[in-house]
Amino acid sequence: MSPSKVASVKFDEFYNIIDGKQRPAKQQHYGVNPATGEKLWAVPVGTQQDVDDAVVSAQRAYEKFRFVPIEKRKELLVKFKDLYMAHVDEMTELLKKENGKPHQFASFEAGAAALWFDHHAKLDLPEEREEDDEKVITTRFTPLGVVGAICPWNFPIILCLGKLIPAVLTGNTIIIKPSPFTPYTTLKIVELAQEIFEPGVVQAIGGDDKLGPMLTAHPGIAKISFTGSIATGKKIMAACAPTLKRVTLELGGNDASIVLPDVDVKKTAPELVMGAFQNSGQVCVATKRIYIHEKIYDEMLKEMVAFTKTIKVGDQDSGALLGPLQNSMQYEKVKNMFKDTKDKGYKFAVGSPDVAEGKGYYIQPTIIDNPPNDSRIIQEEPFGPIVPTQPWSDEEEVIKRANSSLTGLGACVWGKDIERAERIARRLEAGSVFVNSFEKPTPQAVFGGHKESGIGGEWGKEGLKAFCNPVSRSLL
Ligand code: NAD
């Protein structure tokens, strides 16, 4: 390893990282600890000049990095993993503060990053070969150039590294834009990366709402890898059209979970609840609609209510299972969903129609018993700890109901009759389907949505190709 450029890395000072150097800015902004409302550290607001400089540096680095053999790039990623893991405790603490996650979940996310490194270290992207009597065709996969990564606030570490690792493994250079709500872990991860990679290979720019459009418009960026809301995804696709950038869009979902009549009710109830309320419901693939067979509907709902009442909501170090919502905007959105649900007179099986206001953006987990199909709570992604349940009796009908959404990110089926569960699972219109588990994304499986939940996919084996151009060669 080259002599340390970041030996003195400080976890309470934050810079944009451009061309291998820390770059401060004239204008600063501040994150907020959502558990307390406390103002966090100053972070620079990136400018058009910062973006232009980062693109020049990334293009310069790309000319060399694209020819570094994949085995060498893997070695660099393994070294980077070691350096990152040496700082995993500091990352956990930053994540707790910027995002509000309870300690055990922040620690889980910070540590799970290792799985993304390990999975990608095993991958290759070999030339593919086809031949017939007339010709031999080979297809190889070459990097795209400079990738712009635009990230959300709900899993700041995994979603930053989940783009950085495959982009770099395939020989691209990358500029990462964290969410303005959670810039801290990303800026530090990228600062650490300077120890391992040449200037310009991995850069980060944080900022305000103006920054994302600067990346999507820039002609020097070849691809945008975006994770965030459907509404922003549509704007990004439109903004990338004039320069015909490649785009991968990982967007929102409204996942259905179908429960067969033969499940073990006591065992399944807590799993259904956690599928909906993990990370306080702020998960793209959280369970957002639960369809329970009518034979066990009342019993299952009773068990789910009983388990939900045991869930502790609180701050990062209180031993709570659920933390606050991450930001005031999201808190207001979810409160609005509660108001609509109350105003329409739907039944609260557990949870209060009136969100108790206080310090921190806390909302108690809430289950809505059998609202109508056209209700907002069925039709929209709340992205908070509120979930509807409905009964079903006919298999064809419930499959239709599950698929009657503009989104198609994840889905679950629960049942002892595995053949039946799999038969249903195969008919669900979603990118990731789980049988007898709630949604648990893993780096080993390609991840991407159908319909308005996205375009393309990342991770798994297939995900590497999202960062490449295919080049075919025919030999006659
Ligand atoms: P968001 O769309 O508001 O913001 C995401 C990112 O886009 C942020 O960095 C933001 O600054 C940036 N941005 C905003 N406007 C932009 C523009 N016009 N051009 C370029 N960039 C712009 O999303 P969010 O609120 O941060 O995240 C929550 C949403 O993300 C939910 O809908 C959730 O389902 C979705 N999500 C999807 C996945 C997935 O993998 N499919 C994973 C996590 C979250």
Side-chain angles (χ1 to χ4, degrees):
M1 204 181 285
S2 56
S4 177
K5 290 175 238 165
V6 287
S8 59
V9 63
K10 293 189 185 121
F11 281 79
D12 55 1
E13 282 178 14
F14 299 87
Y15 307 93
N16 288 331
I17 303 296
I18 298 172
D19 198 30
K21 296 179 208 72
Q22 300 171 336
R23 182 181 289 193
K26 278 199 195 116
Q27 207 190 328
Q28 310 283 329
H29 74 115
Y30 299 83
V32 169
N33 179 342
T36 58
E38 167 205 6
K39 187 171 161 188
L40 298 173
W41 309 273
V43 264
V45 175
T47 61
Q48 184 67 54
Q49 190 62 54
D50 293 331
V51 172
D52 292 345
D53 293 348
V55 172
V56 167
S57 173
Q59 285 177 323
R60 193 168 46 227
Y62 174 67
E63 285 314 315
K64 209 167 137 198
F65 194 64
R66 64 190 298 190
F67 298 116
V68 172
I70 190 165
E71 286 311 319
K72 175 72 187 158
R73 295 198 294 257
K74 279 191 205 175
E75 273 172 34
L76 292 171
L77 283 168
V78 169
K79 282 185 187 164
F80 182 32
K81 175 195 163 188
D82 292 343
L83 181 61
Y84 167 83
M85 290 307 286
H87 292 285
V88 75
D89 291 342
E90 290 103 316
M91 291 295 175
T92 300
E93 289 307 313
L94 277 188
L95 181 59
K96 280 163 66 179
K97 287 225 157 140
E98 71 178 353
N99 179 281
K101 285 177 205 251
H103 180 87
Q104 56 173 319
F105 295 103
S107 167
F108 176 79
E109 179 178 345
L115 304 176
W116 267 261
F117 281 107
D118 294 347
H119 165 72
H120 286 90
K122 286 192 224 130
L123 296 183
D124 271 316
L125 206 46
E127 240 179 44
E128 293 173 3
R129 188 182 161 96
E130 284 282 334
E131 62 178 288
D132 60 21
D133 294 343
E134 291 172 358
K135 57 194 174 300
V136 177
I137 300 169
T138 52
T139 306
R140 66 199 171 90
F141 298 90
T142 59
L144 297 168
V146 181
V147 172
I150 302 182
C151 303
W153 44 259
N154 59 340
F155 288 89
I157 293 184
I158 291 296
L159 294 175
C160 155
L161 286 170
K163 296 182 188 306
L164 185 161
I165 297 167
V168 165
L169 178 64
T170 45
N172 298 280
T173 55
I174 187 165
I175 301 168
I176 304 174
K177 187 197 101 55
S179 165
F181 294 113
T182 53
Y184 301 102
T185 46
T186 299
L187 294 180
K188 276 304 145 197
I189 287 170
V190 172
E191 192 175 328
L192 287 177
Q194 306 316 301
E195 178 111 350
I196 310 294
F197 298 100
E198 294 288 323
V201 174
V202 179
Q203 305 179 87
I205 312 177
D208 58 17
D209 288 350
K210 295 191 203 110
L211 184 60
M214 291 177 202
L215 294 172
T216 52
H218 205 294
I221 293 180
K223 173 189 173 127
I224 293 290
S225 168
F226 171 74
T227 301
S229 64
I230 293 173
T232 307
K234 289 179 182 177
K235 285 189 203 159
I236 286 185
M237 193 151 171
C240 288
T243 47
L244 285 181
K245 284 183 182 53
R246 278 67 185 136
V247 284
T248 298
L249 303 177
E250 303 276 13
L251 309 178
N254 193 1
D255 295 14
S257 205
I258 298 178
V259 188
L260 304 186
D262 64 354
V263 293
D264 177 334
V265 171
K266 278 206 177 330
K267 207 171 127 208
T268 310
E271 296 284 314
L272 291 172
V273 168
M274 287 315 294
F277 298 145
Q278 48 169 325
N279 206 37
S280 298
Q282 303 168 111
V283 183
C284 53
V285 278
T287 299
K288 290 169 188 146
R289 297 172 286 155
I290 304 180
Y291 299 123
I292 304 166
H293 194 275
E294 63 178 7
K295 274 196 194 146
I296 54 162
Y297 184 81
D298 291 341
E299 193 192 349
M300 182 65 87
L301 189 56
K302 200 168 136 227
E303 287 295 328
M304 287 170 64
V305 165
F307 179 75
T308 303
K309 284 183 177 163
T310 68
I311 293 176
K312 188 173 167 199
V313 179
D315 70 35
Q316 296 90 334
D317 292 308
S318 64
L321 198 59
L322 303 186
L325 295 209
Q326 199 279 325
N327 59 71
S328 60
M329 184 191 70
Q330 192 57 33
Y331 183 59
E332 292 306 323
K333 267 195 197 165
V334 178
K335 279 200 313 189
N336 185 273
M337 184 65 90
F338 271 74
K339 183 175 177 322
D340 180 78
T341 305
K342 177 187 169 188
D343 291 351
K344 299 276 165 37
Y346 306 145
K347 193 168 162 204
F348 285 69
V350 61
S352 163
D354 300 301
V355 173
E357 306 271 345
K359 217 174 167 199
Y361 308 129
Y362 295 106
I363 297 185
Q364 294 296 323
T366 296
I367 300 176
I368 307 303
D369 178 6
N370 200 13
N373 281 338
D374 62 356
S375 56
R376 276 186 58 202
I377 189 62
I378 291 279
Q379 294 295 326
E380 293 177 23
E381 175 191 47
F383 222 58
I386 175 167
V387 72
T389 55
Q390 285 184 332
W392 66 274
S393 56
D394 178 76
E395 191 174 305
E396 280 303 312
E397 186 280 329
V398 77
I399 292 172
K400 246 192 214 143
R401 218 182 322 158
N403 287 338
S404 69
S405 166
L406 291 176
T407 64
L409 193 59
C412 307
V413 187
W414 303 80
K416 282 196 189 129
D417 180 347
I418 297 294
E419 210 176 293
R420 186 177 186 196
E422 293 214 320
R423 184 174 71 221
I424 295 173
R426 273 195 294 274
R427 296 194 43 205
L428 296 178
E429 296 164 357
S432 302
V433 183
F434 298 80
V435 174
N436 289 328
S437 163
F438 64 78
E439 298 88 338
K440 293 179 181 165
T442 155
Q444 292 139 298
V446 66
F447 190 72
H450 296 189
K451 303 190 264 186
E452 291 201 357
S453 287
I455 304 265
E458 290 174 351
W459 311 342
K461 276 188 208 134
E462 299 82 352
L464 282 191
K465 291 184 183 169
F467 292 94
C468 298
N469 276 318
V471 185
S472 76
R473 187 166 40 103
S474 300
L475 185 62
L476 299 170

